[in-house]
Amino acid sequence: MARLAGALSFLLAAVAVAAAAAAGGESEAEAMSSYIIHVAQAQAPRSLRPRLLARAYKSFLRDNLPESIALPEPRVFYSYRRAATGFATRLTARQVAHLESLDSVLAVVPDLILQPHTTLTPKFLELTESYGLLKKSKGATDVVIGVIDTGIYPMGRASFAADPSLPPPPDTFRGRCVSTPSFNASAYCNNKLVGAKFFYAGYEAQFGKIDEREESKSPLDTEGHGTHTASTAAGSAVENANFYNYGKGKAVGMAPGTRIATYKALWKKGGAYSDILMAFEHAIADRVNVISYSVSPTGKIPEFYMDLPAMAAFRAVREGIVVSASAGNASTINRRFIATVVLGNGVTFIGETLYAESRSAQPRYR
């Protein structure tokens, strides 16, 4: 009897372990990730209104996913009409596999995270207001540059201050500045900074809620990169600009007469494909004239047909928008910082450094 009871206990334990393993496998299989679904133009909804478009894509999923894989229910967090034709959603692996088999679906692309790049200056490119492109542009005061990046920090920044010499912003621009508790649009936006929006649904879908103690869920830049690229593209002239009193001089953007509209789609850990596509979507709808984009994936560059920002840029170009994208982060340093190294025996060497403290404090190495 005792032997039978022991055998029964072993059997029950084995069943419990097998059930737990099966449940674990099912849980892993049903894990959801973010994807961008590209829908064939002929099967795409025709609505121009974002809410109706999102509702139509929710119906698209309900109609095309069999009952056996309908749960967990996908969540559509963006819909696209201009930058792409399709939507961003959360799906399981089985749901992805089924959608990829449909004729109405052109591609299912994982929602990758991209990282920011940097840019150079007009002096390095030998541009001058006295001749060439800058002179022919006549200040380009009728141009709005949409900057897709980490936002903008306009507080106390002369590069983005109201400029009484500028005429009113162009009538063709349809954008606006979005106010939040940390971004007072009526105080920060003016005839220079004419638009400010932000997008985070794709980022939060992958990383969870943004910690607003560290980042501002608003157009406000808490990383610095977007402010840098916006001022590089269109910042007004600032005299005696410097980096901790080093490298003093006049700082001016490539086209200081143009207006800036910022589209914040990058955050502390980077920017999701889905948020960046939505930034392109709004920039195209707002009718900016130029889109500045200094972002790329880390590691291996995706094939062109999988590069969603490149596709969005193509859509923007078809609408007559110039897209300026950075080519990489391995840029040229276009200035020299001279430093002196004095050895313990008094021998002096003159060279270059990136980390000079000041002209009076020379580094010493023994």
Side-chain angles (χ1 to χ4, degrees), residues 311-328:
M311 296 181 188
F314 178 73
R315 292 282 194 105
V317 170
R318 287 204 309 187
E319 296 295 325
I321 299 170
V322 174
V323 179
S324 174
S326 60

Side-chain angles (χ1 to χ4, degrees), residues 262-341:
T262 184
Y263 299 87
K264 182 177 178 178
L266 279 82
W267 304 82
K268 187 175 182 179
K269 296 179 181 179
Y273 260 178
S274 53
D275 294 329
I276 291 170
L277 274 185
M278 203 60 184
F280 270 99
E281 181 85 5
H282 277 254
I284 295 170
D286 291 344
R287 299 184 186 178
V288 301
N289 306 101
V290 177
I291 291 176
S292 174
Y293 178 75
S294 300
V295 184
S296 82
T298 55
K300 184 179 179 181
I301 302 298
E303 296 291 342
F304 187 72
Y305 60 84
M306 295 289 282
D307 190 337
L308 302 194
M311 296 181 188
F314 178 73
R315 292 282 194 105
V317 170
R318 287 204 309 187
E319 296 295 325
I321 299 170
V322 174
V323 179
S324 174
S326 60
N329 244 355
S331 56
T332 303
I333 297 174
N334 61 331
R335 61 181 67 189
R336 301 176 65 198
F337 300 116
I338 305 301
T340 304
V341 176

Side-chain angles (χ1 to χ4, degrees), residues 66-311:
E67 187 176 347
S68 60
I69 61 171
L71 296 177
E73 184 178 358
R75 178 174 64 88
V76 175
F77 53 88
Y78 285 134
S79 56
Y80 309 106
R81 187 177 68 87
R82 297 177 176 86
T85 301
F87 57 98
T89 184
R90 300 279 289 176
L91 298 170
T92 67
R94 291 193 297 165
Q95 291 167 344
V96 168
H98 180 77
L99 289 177
E100 286 179 326
S101 70
L102 301 178
D103 291 337
S104 56
V105 173
L106 300 179
V108 179
V109 182
D111 194 4
L112 300 182
I113 298 298
L114 308 185
Q115 301 298 326
H117 276 167
T118 57
T119 53
L120 292 172
T121 64
K123 184 177 180 181
F124 178 71
L125 296 177
E126 298 183 358
L127 295 176
T128 172
E129 295 178 359
S130 60
Y131 63 88
L133 290 175
L134 289 186
K135 182 179 181 180
K136 289 182 179 179
S137 72
K138 298 179 180 179
T141 58
D142 58 344
V143 170
V144 176
I145 299 178
V147 182
I148 299 176
D149 214 290
T150 62
I152 195 165
Y153 194 92
M155 294 177 280
R157 299 292 188 269
S159 293
F160 314 120
D163 187 344
S165 69
L166 290 177
D171 295 336
T172 53
F173 181 64
R174 296 287 183 267
R176 64 189 180 93
C177 287
V178 176
S179 271
T180 72
S182 58
F183 191 89
N184 185 346
S186 61
Y188 301 149
C189 291
N190 46 54
N191 67 343
K192 180 66 179 180
L193 179 59
V194 296
K197 297 180 178 181
F198 61 107
F199 311 94
Y200 57 87
Y203 184 85
E204 286 195 335
Q206 298 197 46
F207 297 110
K209 290 290 184 182
I210 291 171
D211 186 349
E212 296 192 61
R213 295 170 300 178
E214 297 183 4
E215 298 187 83
S216 175
K217 197 181 283 189
S218 77
L220 193 67
D221 184 9
T222 53
E223 299 300 313
H225 190 268
T227 304
H228 159 64
T229 54
S231 62
T232 300
S236 300
V238 178
E239 299 291 343
N240 200 32
N242 63 84
F243 182 73
Y244 295 105
N245 288 322
Y246 204 70
K248 292 183 179 181
K250 180 180 179 180
V252 60
M254 298 290 292
T258 59
R259 320 308 169 96
I260 298 169
T262 184
Y263 299 87
K264 182 177 178 178
L266 279 82
W267 304 82
K268 187 175 182 179
K269 296 179 181 179
Y273 260 178
S274 53
D275 294 329
I276 291 170
L277 274 185
M278 203 60 184
F280 270 99
E281 181 85 5
H282 277 254
I284 295 170
D286 291 344
R287 299 184 186 178
V288 301
N289 306 101
V290 177
I291 291 176
S292 174
Y293 178 75
S294 300
V295 184
S296 82
T298 55
K300 184 179 179 181
I301 302 298
E303 296 291 342
F304 187 72
Y305 60 84
M306 295 289 282
D307 190 337
L308 302 194
M311 296 181 188

